[in-house]
Amino acid sequence: MEKIEKSKAYAEKGFLGKIMLYLSKKPLPSSTDRKKFDHDFAISTSFHGVHNIVRNRSKIRKVMWLSVVLGCVSLVVWQIYSRLVNYFTWPTTTSIEVQYVEKIEFPAVTFCNLNRFQTDAVAKFGIIVFLWHTVSKVLHLQKISANSTGFKEAVDFVESHQNFSITDFVKNNGFYLDNSTLLACEFFGIPCGPKDFKHTFTEYGNCFTFNHAESIQGKRKVSVSGRGLSLLFDVNQEEFTDYPGLGFADAGIIFVIHSPRKEPQFVGLGLYSPVGMHAQVTIRQLKTVHQEYPWGECNPNIKLQNFPYYSTYGCLKECKAQHIEKQCGCLPFLLPGNGIECDLQKYYNCVSPMLDHIEFKGLCTMGTHNSSCPVSCEETEYPATISYSTFPSQKALKYLSKKLNKSQEYIRENLVNIEINYGDLNYKITQQQKAVSVSELLADLGGQLGLFCGASVITIIEIIEYLFTNFYWICIFFLLKIPEMTQRAPASQNHLGNKNRIEEC
């Protein structure tokens, strides 16, 4: 009856109860069987040294071998611990390799005129310079000041011209690229022209990218060092102008060399070529490969909505655009997206405070894996060395004056010659690599086990089997013996009680 009641009680406990019921039906091995099992394990295990403890009859030798085994086990535990601690610090190594090739991809180059606006358009709408300067500050997280007279005039201008679009105005009245501004173009000995450039907006207004990702030439590779892209610009200072009061007091071309897969970033990377100069630019290609977290800081799972390839600069622009559009209901046109363009009043009332909020709260951060825009897993840069010479020479000046039908003074003050070439047909790869891989960790741990204990995976399985068997017997002991002991105790107490009563009688 007691067994039936126990089985019912175990069955009511579910899966765990079924296990307890199964164990309770198993017989408990005798102490002789348990000792024999321990002895057989000790003399047959592949864990070196254990069988020497059991087989030796001399107590001194037993103690000696026990000390050796315990010492080796202590050493192997310490070695394994140190190896695991080292692995979970995620160490990396950096390798630098120079690859020599017969052909190498040419980068994209984005050019802008330092004189951003057409003189006639600025004369008609002089406030446009201030308007553009205001809206372009979204790229640099600078505060838009509303204390200046220019801002009040700009607000009045926008209110009186409700349908005025700053974007369209700059696109139609900014710097343009045609045969009058691009006097000569040659790429690897092949003539090129304005049709090979793609228009793009930057803080410098209308800019034009050669060898962009959508171009057929974007796949072209150069095969001879010292030859590449050669351009002759006419900045035409009389036709294009800018406002020196805002710091735009230079004349010439600003350009940036970048990967065709990335957006042009002028801040800190722009190269200047003044008028009357020949800029000789020698570049080299540098590829950097970063490991993903936790070994490195990159995140390969981040995709951009408005750019086909990930870049930190593009990610920062998207991040700011998302926060501004969500808060202000409009989108600064220099930031990516398809939202409604913000007017100047929105720039002051909402966009500018939102930019300060983004910077103060750190909503758009970059660099680490947990930032808004971590470093890209693979990026290509083009470090450049630039040198200048006066252009043109006295003899060439006379030649160009006749050819272009321009005065010598005009040529000195408006022409810019730029050459961009590779120094060598090689590229340098800086690659971040895992210092310890999983296979290397396992090999190291296996070496430590084999060196100190002569153990292997099979030895570990033997020990697990031995421990599991003993645990199995302990469970049976608690399920069978302890209930019997608890039941005998009350019975013996009752028996003693009856004896005491008889003696009293």
Side-chain angles (χ1 to χ4, degrees):
M1 290 296 292
E2 291 180 0
K3 291 183 177 179
I4 295 172
E5 290 177 358
K6 283 183 182 180
S7 62
K8 288 182 179 179
Y10 288 146
E12 290 175 358
K13 293 182 180 180
F15 180 73
L16 183 61
K18 291 179 180 179
I19 295 175
M20 295 173 67
L21 178 62
Y22 173 79
L23 293 174
S24 65
K25 293 179 179 178
K26 294 293 179 180
L28 184 66
S30 64
S31 59
T32 305
D33 293 336
R34 291 197 298 271
K35 288 180 180 179
K36 186 177 183 302
F37 175 77
D38 294 338
H39 182 268
D40 291 343
F41 171 78
I43 63 175
S44 64
T45 182
S46 57
F47 194 98
H48 291 190
V50 175
H51 59 275
N52 290 322
I53 301 173
V54 177
R55 286 179 177 176
N56 278 307
R57 296 181 179 180
S58 172
K59 292 184 179 181
I60 297 175
R61 289 187 176 183
K62 282 180 180 288
V63 172
M64 181 184 70
W65 275 108
L66 179 63
S67 302
V68 170
V69 170
L70 291 177
C72 289
V73 169
S74 301
L75 283 172
V76 80
V77 169
W78 172 66
Q79 288 290 337
I80 290 174
Y81 173 77
S82 63
R83 296 303 190 274
L84 290 175
V85 168
N86 177 63
Y87 178 78
F88 286 108
T89 58
W90 316 113
T92 59
T93 59
T94 302
S95 64
I96 299 176
E97 183 180 0
V98 178
Q99 292 280 351
Y100 290 90
V101 293
E102 294 181 358
K103 292 185 177 182
I104 191 167
E105 292 182 357
F106 199 79
V109 190
T110 300
F111 301 91
C112 310
N113 192 343
L114 290 173
N115 291 312
R116 300 173 293 175
F117 308 104
Q118 295 182 34
T119 306
D120 295 341
V122 173
K124 185 177 180 181
F125 298 102
I127 198 64
I128 187 62
V129 179
F130 186 84
L131 287 173
W132 182 265
H133 186 68
T134 301
V135 300
S136 66
K137 286 185 175 181
V138 296
L139 297 178
H140 309 299
L141 290 177
Q142 295 174 337
K143 188 171 180 63
I144 300 171
S145 176
N147 298 326
S148 63
T149 307
F151 187 87
K152 296 176 182 178
E153 293 177 359
V155 172
D156 295 338
F157 176 83
V158 172
E159 289 178 352
S160 60
H161 297 77
Q162 294 293 328
N163 296 325
F164 183 82
S165 172
I166 303 173
T167 311
D168 295 338
F169 180 88
V170 174
K171 191 171 184 178
N172 297 327
N173 298 281
F175 176 68
Y176 55 83
L177 199 68
D178 60 12
N179 293 329
S180 65
T181 55
L182 182 62
L183 303 179
C185 178
E186 188 178 277
F187 177 63
F188 196 58
I190 300 173
C192 52
K195 65 181 183 302
D196 298 306
F197 291 76
K198 177 188 176 183
H199 174 270
T200 183
F201 270 124
T202 73
E203 59 265 44
Y204 290 93
N206 291 337
C207 296
F208 300 89
T209 301
F210 178 81
N211 207 42
H212 51 88
E214 300 172 6
S215 171
I216 297 175
Q217 289 183 340
K219 300 179 181 178
R220 182 173 292 179
K221 298 181 179 181
V222 295
S223 58
V224 179
S225 61
R227 296 184 65 184
L229 181 64
S230 179
L231 302 165
L232 181 61
F233 287 101
D234 183 356
V235 299
N236 203 338
Q237 295 191 58
E238 293 182 358
E239 184 178 356
F240 301 100
T241 188
D242 218 309
Y243 184 58
L246 296 174
F248 293 89
D250 302 323
I253 295 290
I254 182 172
F255 61 99
V256 62
I257 303 169
H258 57 95
S259 170
R261 298 176 179 85
K262 292 176 62 176
E263 291 294 298
Q265 179 183 353
F266 284 90
V267 180
L269 299 175
L271 302 172
Y272 289 87
S273 182
V275 295
M277 289 288 178
H278 179 186
Q280 179 71 43
V281 185
T282 303
I283 61 173
R284 54 191 178 91
Q285 190 179 100
L286 177 61
K287 292 184 178 180
T288 306
V289 179
H290 300 280
Q291 282 289 332
E292 60 185 274
Y293 182 80
W295 287 270
E297 299 294 344
C298 88
N299 186 348
N301 300 319
I302 296 182
K303 305 295 181 184
L304 302 183
Q305 298 178 0
N306 301 282
F307 302 104
Y309 302 99
Y310 178 84
S311 66
T312 304
Y313 182 63
C315 177
L316 285 173
K317 291 173 71 174
E318 276 199 359
C319 180
K320 287 191 283 185
Q322 291 170 2
H323 286 291
I324 292 173
E325 187 174 16
K326 181 179 179 180
Q327 186 68 26
C328 303
C330 63
L331 191 65
F333 78 95
L334 280 176
L335 299 181
N338 299 316
I340 302 171
E341 182 182 339
C342 298
D343 57 32
L344 194 67
Q345 197 68 41
K346 277 283 182 72
Y347 271 92
Y348 169 62
N349 293 330
C350 185
V351 174
S352 180
M354 190 60 196
L355 288 172
D356 294 335
H357 178 72
I358 291 172
E359 186 176 16
F360 179 74
K361 293 291 185 179
L363 301 179
C364 295
T365 55
M366 58 179 288
T368 59
H369 73 278
N370 56 354
S371 60
S372 307
C373 299
V375 65
S376 56
C377 293
E378 184 175 343
E379 56 186 354
T380 304
E381 298 175 343
Y382 298 88
T385 302
I386 186 168
S387 57
Y388 296 97
S389 62
T390 302
F391 175 84
S393 63
Q394 289 293 335
K395 190 171 184 178
L397 182 62
K398 296 176 183 179
Y399 169 78
L400 288 174
S401 179
K402 291 180 181 180
K403 181 180 179 180
L404 301 176
N405 196 22
K406 300 288 185 180
S407 66
Q408 295 184 11
E409 183 181 0
Y410 178 90
I411 291 173
R412 288 287 193 197
E413 294 180 355
N414 292 280
L415 264 59
V416 178
N417 192 5
I418 302 174
E419 274 190 67
I420 302 173
N421 310 305
Y422 271 108
D424 292 301
L425 292 183
N426 62 61
Y427 60 90
K428 184 184 291 184
I429 301 177
T430 303
Q431 190 166 7
Q432 191 180 35
Q433 298 173 330
K434 299 175 184 177
V436 182
S437 63
V438 175
S439 58
E440 290 172 337
L441 175 66
L442 292 176
D444 197 359
L445 297 182
Q448 299 300 325
L449 284 169
L451 175 64
F452 291 103
C453 300
S456 64
V457 175
I458 295 176
T459 308
I460 296 172
I461 294 173
E462 289 175 354
I463 295 172
I464 292 173
E465 182 192 19
Y466 173 77
L467 295 175
F468 179 80
T469 304
N470 278 278
F471 177 75
Y472 173 76
W473 287 342
I474 291 170
C475 291
I476 295 174
F477 174 79
F478 276 99
L479 289 171
L480 293 179
K481 291 295 181 182
I482 291 181
E484 291 178 4
M485 292 170 64
T486 53
Q487 288 174 4
R488 288 174 183 172
S492 62
Q493 289 177 2
N494 291 333
H495 182 67
L496 291 172
N498 292 332
K499 281 186 177 180
N500 293 332
R501 287 173 187 172
I502 291 170
E503 287 175 358
E504 286 176 2
C505 292

